[in-house]
């Protein structure tokens, strides 16, 4: 409160969590907007699928998936690109495996190989960072060979002629040199997808975590629209979400430029509805995103922060810069289950509650709103996160009096059309209801947009793109591509999984995965130490051989504090989604110096 009074509302910011409930996400963003007085609120979606959401909102008018991953069982063709479901989305991966066993063609497009290659009809490796070149070539084939669905395009879309012109010169022969895929392979992928009666596209952070991540997603949307592969069972677009509530946290408003249900803060009519609901004037100025907040701290513009369940000191790009920002804050409050790397910078640590210790709802990647019930007592002095948020709100004089998350959910229904016909009582009976839901006695819609899209006029939009290089291309000084991601055993920054003895026994130390050829070039044997250097930092970790990694690339998981991958990553942002380029940084590899005995 003292910082707000001395420096103004913009001097405060908050990071919420996709591991908390919908109700806690709602209260957190409400606190920042009504108590702090600004829209400086964000969460981990900014670091994973912000560019996907930006493209989906622009082209379709909705930031959620158009069909669940269960619909893969109804598809004739499934494209998986920029994702590794067997590691990052193992539940969804079981549906892809089942689909393949019953005859669905699985086409994998990725710079790296993966376990699901064994189930794939085609597994196509392409040059890292060349996504748009490959996708535009696919679009060129579909248009040049007349494989597009003209009736669907006429009835449901706009902007197709502009797309036609934009990919006219993106022939497979012209793009092959850029994307590293043979022209005939490009043609085969395009034909299989376009000629299928029902086809789906799934993607992950290999698509979104680039400075051209929004363009990548725009291309995938254009592929689906051109072929009419949305709105029917076995068709659709699905950015695979990871955390238990990453969809719900976004829906509930943990985004700095939109209110709940993606309603722009600058729209006076939409904003007025929330001002009436919350009985408080709201700022019409979009807030700062995750990386922008770190920059604002260094600039002296943000002085205080409230971080709930986010491990910023491990998850942000260019960690030296991010950690210095955390250390510069006048006041930092961290609310978490453990003393995370971020909590070590805190002035105050508040003991949070784990998912089995509280009631609340979450919304998963399939748009399924699910009710969780407390199954364990709270340990020690821990409190439900919603209770802690309310206590802080009341220190700001907001006078909140919620007695249970059910009351918060009822308020959310007043501000979020996506929750229409989904009551707490219904969730208590059915456990899970998919939105949108047409009636209280009807099931939710697993597949959406069969008649119209939620854009003005009901039409989806084609968004032409052009290939752009990564922000930091490889060169003689830094000749290798560094890419980062998750492991099956360790989730995100490891703040929970590395405290699990079984999981930590399976993967106890940081590793760098390289191809056999790359290890031979370096003269490093598997199990020996390797040093990785980028323009931002250096880490040393154990080398691991992986024949699914292409030559010229190294993969590092970001769960290990002792060799934090994000000390190396590039903070350059996609201009639309404001997401960092985690999936591509130029690096240099060297055999680690062996300490000499005294």
């Amino acid at each position: 409160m003292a910082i707000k009074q001395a420096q103004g509302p913009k001097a405060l910011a908050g990071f919420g969590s996709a591991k908390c409930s919908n109700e806690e996400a709602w209260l957190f963003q409400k606190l920042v907007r009504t108590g702090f007085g600004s829209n400086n609120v964000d969460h981990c979606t900014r670091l994973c699928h912000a560019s996907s959401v930006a493209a989906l909102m622009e082209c379709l008018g909705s930031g959620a998936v158009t069909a669940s991953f269960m619909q893969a069982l109804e598809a004739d063709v499934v494209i998986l690109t920029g994702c590794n479901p067997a590691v990052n989305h193992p539940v969804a991966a079981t549906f892809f495996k089942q689909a393949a066993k019953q005859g669905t063609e699985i086409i994998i497009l990725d710079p790296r190989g993966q376990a699901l290659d064994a189930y794939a009809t085609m597994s196509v490796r392409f040059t890292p960072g060349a996504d748009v070149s490959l996708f535009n070539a696919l679009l060129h084939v579909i248009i040049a060979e007349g494989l597009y669905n003209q009736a669907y395009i006429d009835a449901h879309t706009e902007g197709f002629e502009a797309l036609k012109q934009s990919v006219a010169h993106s022939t497979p022969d012209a793009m092959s040199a850029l994307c590293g895929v043979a022209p005939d392979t490009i043609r085969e992928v395009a034909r299989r997808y376009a000629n299928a009666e029902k086809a789906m596209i799934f993607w992950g952070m290999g698509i979104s975590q680039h400075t051209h991540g929004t363009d990548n997603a725009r291309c995938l949307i254009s592929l689906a629209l051109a072929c009419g592969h949305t709105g029917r069972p076995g068709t659709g677009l699905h950015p695979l979400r990871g955390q238990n509530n990453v969809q719900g946290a976004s829906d509930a408003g943990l985004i700095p430029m939109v209110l709940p249900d993606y309603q722009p803060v600058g729209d006076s009519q939409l904003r007025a509805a929330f001002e009436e609901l919350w009985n408080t004037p709201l700022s019409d100025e979009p807030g700062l995103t995750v990386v922008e907040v770190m920059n604002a701290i260094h600039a002296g513009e943000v002085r205080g922060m409230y971080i709930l369940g986010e491990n910023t000191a491990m998850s942000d790009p260019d960690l030296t810069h991010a950690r210095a920002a955390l250390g510069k804050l006048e006041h930092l409050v961290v609310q978490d289950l453990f003393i995370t790397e971020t909590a070590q910078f805190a002035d105050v640590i508040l003991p949070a509650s784990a998912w089995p210790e509280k009631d609340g709802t979450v919304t998963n990647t399939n748009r399924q709103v699910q009710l969780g019930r407390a199954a364990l007592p709270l340990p020690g002095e821990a409190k439900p996160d919603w209770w802690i948020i309310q206590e802080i709100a009341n220190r700001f004089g907001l006078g909140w009096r919620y007695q249970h998350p059910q009351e918060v959910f009822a308020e959310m229904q007043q501000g979020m059309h996506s929750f229409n016909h989904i009551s707490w009582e219904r969730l208590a009976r059915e456990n899970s209801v998919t939105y949108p839901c047409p009636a209280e006695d009807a099931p939710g819609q697993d597949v959406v947009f069969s008649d119209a899209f939620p854009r003005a006029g009901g039409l989806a939009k084609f968004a032409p793109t052009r290939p752009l290089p990564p922000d930091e291309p490889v060169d003689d000084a830094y000749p290798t591509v560094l890419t980062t991601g998750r492991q099956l055993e360790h989730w995100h920054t490891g703040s929970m999984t590395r405290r699990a003895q079984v999981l930590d026994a399976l993967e106890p130390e940081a590793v760098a995965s390289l191809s056999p050829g790359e290890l031979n070039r370096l003269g490093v044997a598997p199990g020996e130490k390797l040093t990785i250097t980028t323009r931002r930092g250096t880490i040393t970790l154990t080398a691991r051989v992986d024949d699914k990694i292409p030559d010229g690339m190294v993969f590092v998981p970001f769960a290990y504090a002792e060799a934090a991958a994000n000390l190396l990553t590039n903070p350059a942002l996609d201009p639309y989604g404001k997401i960092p380029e985690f999936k591509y940084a130029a690096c240099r590899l060297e055999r680690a110096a062996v300490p000499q005995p005294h």
Side-chain angles (χ1 to χ4, degrees):
M1 181 65 82
I3 293 174
K4 178 183 176 181
Q5 292 172 344
Q7 306 293 332
K10 294 181 184 178
L12 298 176
F15 290 167
S17 174
K19 293 185 286 291
C20 288
S21 68
N22 285 319
E23 295 74 29
E24 289 157 349
W26 173 273
L27 291 183
F28 191 89
Q29 58 87 34
K30 180 181 177 182
L31 166 64
V32 173
R33 292 187 160 110
T34 63
F36 293 6
S38 78
N39 291 308
N40 288 343
V41 61
D42 210 351
H43 75 299
C44 70
T45 289
R46 185 66 47 206
L47 305 177
C48 56
H49 267 301
S51 51
S52 302
V53 172
L56 288 165
M57 289 296 298
E58 174 193 8
C59 299
L60 305 186
S62 167
V65 303
T66 73
S68 73
F69 55 62
M70 290 88 82
Q71 290 295 325
L73 297 172
E74 305 294 325
D76 300 311
V77 171
V78 165
I79 289 180
L80 303 175
T81 183
C83 58
N84 187 355
V87 168
N88 295 325
H89 308 278
V91 175
T94 63
F95 285 87
F96 301 145
K97 293 173 184 177
Q98 290 175 42
K101 288 177 181 178
Q102 67 185 32
T104 299
E105 294 183 3
I106 306 292
I107 299 174
I108 298 176
L109 310 176
D110 204 282
R112 297 165 54 202
Q114 57 178 281
L116 285 181
D117 288 343
Y119 295 83
T121 303
M122 297 180 69
S123 184
V124 179
R125 309 272 188 95
F126 64 88
T127 303
D131 314 68
V132 172
S133 301
L134 173 59
F135 300 151
N136 276 353
L138 295 174
L139 284 164
H140 174 93
V141 173
I142 289 167
I143 292 170
E145 297 186 2
L147 304 178
Y148 53 91
N149 187 332
Q150 188 67 60
Y152 181 90
I153 291 167
D154 292 343
H156 297 287
T157 72
E158 61 184 7
F160 184 62
E161 290 304 315
L163 179 79
K164 259 187 178 181
Q165 295 175 20
S166 74
V167 301
H169 300 291
S170 298
T171 66
D173 297 281
M175 294 295 102
S176 178
L178 293 176
C179 67
V181 180
D184 284 346
T185 302
I186 294 173
R187 293 185 182 97
E188 183 178 357
V189 171
R191 291 165 184 163
R192 286 178 182 268
Y193 177 75
N195 288 327
E197 182 182 345
K198 297 175 291 185
M200 297 188 72
I201 301 176
F202 295 86
W203 70 93
M205 291 182 288
I207 289 295
S208 60
Q209 289 180 330
H210 289 277
T211 51
H212 55 270
T214 304
D215 281 345
N216 290 346
R218 286 168 173 152
C219 290
L220 299 177
I221 294 166
S222 291
L223 283 166
L225 295 178
C227 300
H229 286 326
T230 64
R232 295 177 287 118
T235 70
L237 294 154
H238 190 125
L240 287 158
R241 307 296 181 86
Q243 303 204 52
N244 60 316
N245 201 34
V246 74
Q247 182 66 56
S250 297
D251 296 346
L254 288 182
I255 300 177
M257 60 285 296
V258 294
L259 293 157
D261 264 358
Y262 309 95
Q263 302 176 74
V265 298
D267 187 311
S268 58
Q269 185 174 352
L270 297 174
R271 192 175 64 255
F274 283 94
E275 290 176 332
E276 181 179 355
L277 179 63
W278 294 335
N279 193 30
T280 309
L282 299 174
S283 171
D284 63 353
E285 184 178 344
L288 300 175
T289 63
V290 168
V291 175
E292 290 172 337
V293 167
M294 294 297 119
N295 294 335
I297 295 170
H298 281 287
E301 296 164 3
V302 170
R303 306 290 187 88
M305 279 198 72
Y306 178 16
I307 298 178
L308 166 60
E310 291 282 282
N311 196 2
T312 305
M314 282 289 289
S315 61
D316 271 32
D318 190 5
L319 281 183
T320 300
H321 179 268
R323 290 172 177 176
L326 294 174
K328 188 176 180 181
L329 286 165
E330 288 181 26
H331 193 63
L332 173 60
V333 176
V334 171
Q335 184 171 322
D336 217 315
L337 303 176
F338 305 105
I339 308 298
T340 63
E341 289 76 17
T342 302
Q344 293 175 29
F345 288 89
D347 298 286
V348 177
I349 302 173
L350 301 173
S353 49
W355 179 241
E357 298 163 358
K358 58 190 173 187
D359 297 329
T361 66
V362 293
T363 308
N364 72 2
T365 187
N366 289 329
R367 292 181 275 104
Q368 293 169 289
V369 184
Q370 303 169 96
L371 180 62
R373 301 168 178 84
L376 296 172
L378 288 162
E381 297 181 67
K383 297 288 185 182
D385 291 275
W386 67 267
W387 185 91
I388 300 173
I389 298 166
Q390 175 164 273
E391 289 297 309
I392 294 177
N394 288 337
R395 301 314 195 268
F396 275 86
L398 298 182
W400 293 359
R401 296 292 181 266
Y402 303 104
Q403 298 298 311
H404 189 273
Q406 182 174 354
E407 298 176 11
V408 183
F409 187 89
E411 181 179 302
M412 295 175 73
Q413 288 186 289
Q414 297 180 61
M416 297 175 63
H417 295 302
S418 59
F419 279 3
N420 286 353
H421 309 299
I422 304 176
S423 66
W424 188 277
E425 291 77 15
R426 181 177 179 180
L427 290 171
R429 291 193 310 269
E430 300 180 25
N431 297 318
S432 171
V433 180
T434 299
Y435 79 76
C437 192
E440 292 181 10
D441 59 351
Q445 295 176 314
D446 197 41
V447 179
V448 294
F449 312 144
S450 57
D451 298 320
F453 291 90
R455 287 184 72 248
L459 299 178
K461 171 190 172 184
F462 287 98
T465 62
R466 59 188 180 90
L468 296 171
D471 177 75
E472 187 182 71
V474 295
D475 55 25
D476 291 342
Y478 298 93
T480 304
V481 176
L482 166 70
T483 192
T484 68
R486 305 172 184 142
Q487 287 177 303
L488 176 62
E489 294 79 9
H490 289 306
W491 180 250
H492 274 223
T493 65
S495 57
M496 291 189 289
T497 56
R498 292 203 71 198
R499 289 176 167 84
Q501 292 182 359
V502 171
L503 295 176
D504 207 47
L506 290 171
E507 286 287 359
E509 64 174 343
V511 293
S513 297
L514 303 93
S515 69
E518 199 70 15
L519 287 172
N520 288 337
R521 181 183 70 81
L522 296 166
V524 175
E528 292 184 340
K529 293 296 183 181
L530 178 76
T531 294
I532 307 176
T533 302
T534 69
R535 291 176 174 87
R536 289 155 295 280
T538 297
I539 62 173
T540 297
L541 64 179
T542 301
R544 174 178 290 178
V545 65
D546 186 342
D547 59 9
K548 293 180 173 61
I549 306 288
D551 291 345
M553 175 183 276
V554 58
F555 171 78
V556 178
F558 62 92
Y560 297 88
E562 62 270 31
N566 282 325
L567 288 167
L568 310 178
T569 48
N570 186 359
L573 301 180
D574 174 288
Y576 306 98
K578 302 294 181 70
I579 190 170
E581 189 149 56
F582 286 120
K583 286 293 184 279
Y584 194 112
C587 73
R588 180 173 64 247
L589 306 178
E590 301 168 289
R591 184 187 187 122
V594 179
Q596 297 299 316
H598 292 293

